[in-house]
């Protein structure tokens, strides 16, 4: 008698309709995330929202000691998603902007070596790291599915939404229609993009004080709130014990968040 049990027969397989439903929601979320520029996966987005709802509900309950009020207003914790997504968006954009010169230089070298635009893009997709490398791989996948190369590049530009990428795609499109030495145009673009990045760095330095002031102003209400709670805890608990008081506090926090996003 065989005493060993083949464990693969013990694994439960998901029904086909469950897989189809999962793939449907996955594709829908990807389109939704691309349209509204969400840079969190579905699981991370759900985790962030649930965490924000739980933390806000817990804080309101600690201050008000009223489970009904904390339950009613805890959904406002969803708004924690906006600053987190904004941070990820700016981080990803900065990474791509730092990779543009590397991408354009490598593409120019491949073209000078006698390769085609398609071959050059394929090499760049393998050599350049995330996140720009991921976008280039999407372009190559679309080209392999017989989608026009210019249409794939325009799709990439619409996803990234960075002016330097638009310049590169426009240069490829113009030289493809009118003709000319694309390597010379790329050499000029490298100088232009380098000057644009230097100018952006100067602007960032000049606006540091304003952005720092905005961050301090955004944090001040929370600081005042903590001070009031330390020295006048009974009055703070009284505010949170009433629905109107919680509404006023949450409205102030929401307006503070909007101001922070506008300053950013």
């Amino acid at each position: 008698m065989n005493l060993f049990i083949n464990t693969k027969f013990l694994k439960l397989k998901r029904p086909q309709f469950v897989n189809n439903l999962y793939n449907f929601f996955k594709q829908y979320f990807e389109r939704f995330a691309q349209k509204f520029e969400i840079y969190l996966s579905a699981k991370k987005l759900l985790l962030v929202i649930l965490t924000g709802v739980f933390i806000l509900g817990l804080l309101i309950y600690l201050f008000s000691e009223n489970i009904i009020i904390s339950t009613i207003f805890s959904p406002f914790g969803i708004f924690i998603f906006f600053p987190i997504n904004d941070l990820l968006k700016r981080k990803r954009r900065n990474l791509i902007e730092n990779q543009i010169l590397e991408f354009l230089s490598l593409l120019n070298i491949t073209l000078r070596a006698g390769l085609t635009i398609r071959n050059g893009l394929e090499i760049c997709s393998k050599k350049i790291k995330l996140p720009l490398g991921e976008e280039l791989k999407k372009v190559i996948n679309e080209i392999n599915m017989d989608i026009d190369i210019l249409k794939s590049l325009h799709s990439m530009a619409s996803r990234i939404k960075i002016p330097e990428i638009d310049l590169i795609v426009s240069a490829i499109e113009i030289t493809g229609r009118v003709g000319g030495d694309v390597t010379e145009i790329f050499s000029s673009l490298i100088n232009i993009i380098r000057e644009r990045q230097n100018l952006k760095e100067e602007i960032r330095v000049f606006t540091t004080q304003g952005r720092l002031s905005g961050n301090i102003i955004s944090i001040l209400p929370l600081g005042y709130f903590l001070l009031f709670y330390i020295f006048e805890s009974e009055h703070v608990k009284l505010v949170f014990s009433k629905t109107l008081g919680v509404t006023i506090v949450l409205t102030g926090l929401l307006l503070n968040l909007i101001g922070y996003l506008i300053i950013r």
Side-chain angles (χ1 to χ4, degrees):
M1 182 181 294
N2 189 2
L3 297 179
F4 296 97
I5 300 175
N6 193 348
T7 57
K8 69 178 181 179
F9 293 107
L10 298 178
K11 295 181 180 179
L12 297 177
K13 293 185 178 180
R14 291 185 298 184
Q16 185 61 34
F17 79 93
V18 175
N19 291 329
N20 294 336
L21 190 65
Y22 172 78
N23 292 329
F24 170 77
F25 280 111
K26 182 179 179 181
Q27 294 175 2
Y28 179 81
F29 177 78
E30 288 176 354
R31 292 196 296 268
F32 178 81
Q34 181 179 344
K35 182 177 181 180
F36 294 98
E37 297 186 65
I38 298 175
Y39 296 97
L40 287 167
S41 64
K43 293 180 180 179
K44 291 182 179 179
L45 177 62
L46 182 62
L47 179 62
V48 168
I49 290 175
L50 292 178
T51 303
V53 170
F54 173 76
I55 291 176
L56 182 60
L58 180 62
L59 290 175
I60 294 176
Y61 176 75
L62 291 176
F63 290 128
S64 64
E65 297 180 355
N66 190 321
I67 188 66
I68 297 177
I69 291 178
S70 64
T71 304
I72 292 174
F73 290 98
S74 61
F76 284 93
I78 294 174
F79 289 106
I80 195 176
F81 155 76
F82 292 99
I84 293 177
N85 188 66
D86 180 61
L87 178 64
L88 294 175
K89 178 181 177 180
R90 286 187 284 107
K91 182 179 178 180
R92 184 175 186 273
R93 183 184 180 91
N94 291 336
L95 288 173
I96 292 178
E97 287 179 347
N98 293 332
Q99 291 178 308
I100 288 177
L101 279 178
E102 178 189 358
F103 161 58
L104 189 55
S105 299
L106 182 58
L107 183 60
N108 197 25
I109 291 172
T110 58
L111 295 178
R112 288 183 182 274
L115 300 177
T116 62
I117 292 287
R118 175 174 177 172
N119 293 333
L121 290 173
E122 190 171 359
I123 292 173
C124 291
S125 67
K126 295 177 181 178
K127 297 291 183 181
I128 297 177
K129 299 179 180 180
L130 299 176
L132 183 56
E134 182 183 9
E135 294 293 337
L136 293 173
K137 288 178 182 177
K138 291 181 181 178
V139 172
I140 296 300
N141 291 334
E142 291 178 358
I143 294 173
N144 291 334
M145 292 188 293
D146 293 331
I147 298 176
D148 183 68
I149 184 171
L150 288 176
K151 186 176 180 180
S152 300
L153 289 172
H154 279 297
S155 298
M156 181 185 72
S158 64
R159 289 193 302 268
I160 297 177
K161 296 180 180 179
I162 294 178
E164 287 81 357
I165 296 294
D166 292 331
L167 286 174
I168 296 172
V169 175
S170 298
I172 295 174
E173 184 176 11
I174 291 171
T175 53
R177 291 181 179 180
V178 180
D181 190 355
V182 68
T183 57
E184 293 296 328
I185 296 177
F186 280 174
S187 298
S188 301
L189 274 179
I190 290 173
N191 295 328
I192 292 172
I193 292 173
R194 186 176 288 113
E195 290 177 0
R196 285 170 64 93
Q197 289 184 348
N198 292 335
L199 181 60
K200 285 182 180 180
E201 184 64 24
E202 291 180 6
I203 293 173
R204 190 189 67 81
V205 172
F206 289 146
T207 57
T208 298
Q209 182 178 355
R211 288 185 286 110
L212 181 60
S213 300
N215 292 335
I216 294 174
I217 292 173
S218 300
I219 296 173
L220 275 179
L222 297 176
Y224 284 132
F225 176 79
L226 291 176
L227 287 176
F228 280 126
Y229 182 74
I230 292 172
F231 296 105
E232 298 289 342
S233 59
E234 295 298 325
H235 291 82
V236 173
K237 289 182 179 180
L238 180 63
V239 170
F240 276 91
S241 63
K242 304 295 182 180
T243 304
L244 179 61
V246 177
T247 303
I248 292 173
V249 172
L250 290 179
T251 303
L253 290 175
L254 179 60
L255 293 175
N256 191 58
L257 174 61
I258 294 172
Y260 168 79
L261 294 177
I262 291 174
I263 291 172
R264 295 302 305 181

